[in-house]
Amino acid sequence: MSDLQFAYWVPNVSGGLVVSKLPQKTGWDFESNQRYAKIAEESNYDFALLQTRFFASYGAENQLEAITLASALAASTKKLKLISAVHPGLWHPAVYAKMLSTLDQISNGRAAVNIVSGWFKQEFTGFGEPWLDHAERYKRSEEFIRVLRELWTKEQASFKGDYYEINEAPHKPKPVQGGDLPVFQGGNSNDAKEMASRVSDYYFMNGNTLEGFKKQIEEVSELAAKEGREVKFAAHGFAIVRNTEREARQQLQDIVHAADNDAVEGFQEAVKEAGQSTENKEGMRADSSYEDLIQYNDGFKTGLIGTPEQVADRIIELKRIGVSIVLTAHFHYEEDLARFGKEVIPLVKEKEEKLKTEGVLT
């Protein structure tokens, strides 16, 4: 089993990573994100995930587009891998394949992509695009990925599906990584799990309990095995690391107490509708509580809250059940990102080595 890797959510939308009125030291602008990327790179992070958003939904009034910002951050970093999120339906995959190949060339092989099938109806209808039912959104996303890979691996690529068609299309230069440019994807529904098993490299999981993560990992792994494939897993958690557990828990309570109720309730209605549209009624955040939705990817559930030692122990538990990448979000980005990278990640690596020596981890 390979060593754990670490990713952080890039705060490229305003409002930070929690829907709370508690003051945050987190900027959404380029200058702030340039600083955070450099801090992350110096603090043992491997990946940065740039989110995609065009409408405010949970109060994020300002948004920087993901791959555009990733290109700018590529010029400011040397090692950090940059995962750009994208909505199929708002981009043509052949055009986006070229954008990703360009980013991979600029960054010398550090580009990756996160395919987001979409849960926020207004982002499509607001731009005059059709809002497909849930299963069709995932079908379109799967075709999107297949087109990307055709272009990255074939001299002349052709594809004909229900949503996309390309005919003997050239694509040069290819990505530095070629067809191995990593493809990420999330989603809790059967459609999401089945799609991941067929075409994705990594399956992103929203915050969850250990039991919840384990169930998802087992389900997707079983589906992938039937396809003759392996899928790796990334787990999200909102990290609050303080000198004592009491301090960390108090920070969480302060965030929750100052929640932006109108924004959370609006978000809750939107995701409830999205969850109920799935076949198994298990869409993203379908079983999330009000408190869970204050961190809009259920990050409190994961339990990365406490002292560096406590958080590192929790992360080792995630590794034991099959997590390959831990994706973190933070409150005060400037200081919390650095603290996690300098106090938690090295501790995790020490614990990994100790368990390997003891034969507990391989």
Side-chain angles (χ1 to χ4, degrees):
M1 186 181 293
S2 60
D3 290 344
L4 270 166
Q5 293 183 293
F6 292 86
Y8 77 96
W9 280 98
V10 174
N12 55 305
V13 304
S14 59
L17 273 291
V18 288
V19 189
S20 176
K21 295 179 181 179
L22 193 66
Q24 301 178 64
K25 301 174 189 173
T26 298
W28 58 270
D29 56 283
F30 170 64
E31 290 76 14
S32 295
N33 277 297
Q34 187 179 44
R35 290 198 310 276
Y36 304 151
K38 290 178 178 178
I39 289 169
E41 190 164 70
E42 293 166 359
S43 304
N44 302 297
Y45 274 89
D46 303 285
F47 295 90
L49 172 61
L50 296 95
Q51 55 193 303
T52 182
R53 192 87 285 138
F54 291 92
F55 281 59
S57 67
Y58 40 77
E61 296 294 333
N62 297 293
Q63 316 96 24
L64 295 178
E65 194 281 317
I67 198 166
T68 312
L69 180 58
S71 296
L73 295 181
S76 305
T77 55
K78 294 180 180 178
K79 298 181 295 182
L80 200 63
K81 299 178 183 71
L82 300 158
I83 311 169
S84 299
V86 60
H87 281 312
L90 299 184
W91 302 89
H92 191 285
V95 174
Y96 211 79
K98 175 64 77 174
M99 296 164 74
L100 285 163
S101 294
T102 301
L103 176 58
D104 209 46
Q105 289 283 334
I106 290 170
S107 65
N108 194 27
R110 293 187 285 127
V113 63
N114 182 35
I115 306 299
V116 183
S117 296
W119 58 266
F120 190 29
K121 182 177 180 179
Q122 190 181 0
E123 281 195 315
F124 290 82
T125 60
F127 289 149
E129 295 295 327
W131 178 243
L132 306 178
D133 69 33
H134 186 272
E136 290 301 310
R137 294 200 299 278
Y138 277 91
K139 187 174 182 179
R140 177 174 62 190
S141 290
E142 183 168 336
E143 287 190 11
F144 192 96
I145 293 170
R146 292 188 185 279
V147 171
L148 295 181
R149 289 218 167 99
E150 283 292 304
L151 287 160
W152 291 338
T153 59
K154 301 292 177 57
E155 188 66 21
Q156 287 191 314
S158 295
F159 179 88
K160 185 172 178 60
D162 293 336
Y163 293 98
Y164 304 112
E165 179 176 350
I166 55 172
N167 302 295
E168 297 183 355
H171 186 89
K172 292 182 180 179
K174 306 290 188 193
V176 173
Q177 301 172 87
D180 293 329
L181 193 154
V183 175
F184 291 77
Q185 164 228 320
N188 290 347
S189 65
N190 288 337
D191 293 322
K193 293 167 187 172
E194 289 168 4
M195 173 183 147
S197 75
R198 290 190 292 265
V199 294
S200 297
D201 299 311
Y202 289 89
Y203 180 72
F204 266 135
M205 300 178 290
N206 269 6
N208 213 325
T209 61
L210 283 177
E211 294 73 20
F213 283 134
K214 188 175 180 184
K215 181 173 182 284
Q216 285 181 286
I217 289 168
E218 289 173 350
E219 289 174 346
V220 175
S221 295
E222 185 177 337
L223 289 168
K226 291 177 182 177
E227 300 288 335
R229 302 182 70 246
E230 290 185 6
V231 176
K232 295 180 181 180
F233 298 90
H236 163 66
F238 191 87
I240 304 177
V241 181
R242 298 293 183 264
N243 292 330
T244 66
E245 182 180 4
R246 182 177 179 180
E247 288 177 86
R249 294 287 170 192
Q250 186 60 56
Q251 176 74 85
L252 174 60
Q253 289 308 308
D254 291 345
I255 292 168
V256 171
H257 183 73
D260 185 334
N261 294 321
D262 291 341
V264 176
E265 287 170 7
F267 181 52
Q268 189 173 39
E269 284 303 309
V271 297
K272 181 179 179 181
E273 179 184 352
Q276 290 301 309
S277 71
T278 66
E279 181 184 359
N280 62 350
K281 308 302 181 188
E282 290 184 9
M284 297 285 272
R285 315 172 185 88
D287 61 350
S288 301
S289 69
Y290 182 88
E291 181 174 311
D292 294 331
L293 293 174
I294 294 169
Q295 202 294 299
Y296 44 80
N297 287 99
D298 286 353
F300 300 151
K301 282 185 182 180
T302 306
L304 304 186
I305 298 167
T307 65
E309 187 83 26
Q310 289 173 315
V311 173
D313 284 339
R314 183 65 169 183
I315 290 169
I316 290 294
E317 290 181 316
L318 294 174
K319 174 166 182 167
R320 286 178 186 272
I321 63 171
V323 171
S324 294
I325 298 175
V326 174
L327 169 66
T328 63
H330 303 273
F331 189 63
H332 297 310
Y333 255 74
E334 196 109 6
E335 54 201 61
D336 289 344
L337 190 67
R339 183 168 194 172
F340 189 92
K342 291 175 180 175
E343 296 184 16
V344 177
I345 294 178
L347 200 51
V348 170
K349 294 188 182 299
E350 286 178 19
K351 291 175 182 290
E352 280 185 307
E353 288 304 313
K354 185 173 185 292
L355 292 172
K356 285 179 190 177
T357 302
E358 296 171 355
V360 178
L361 291 177
T362 56

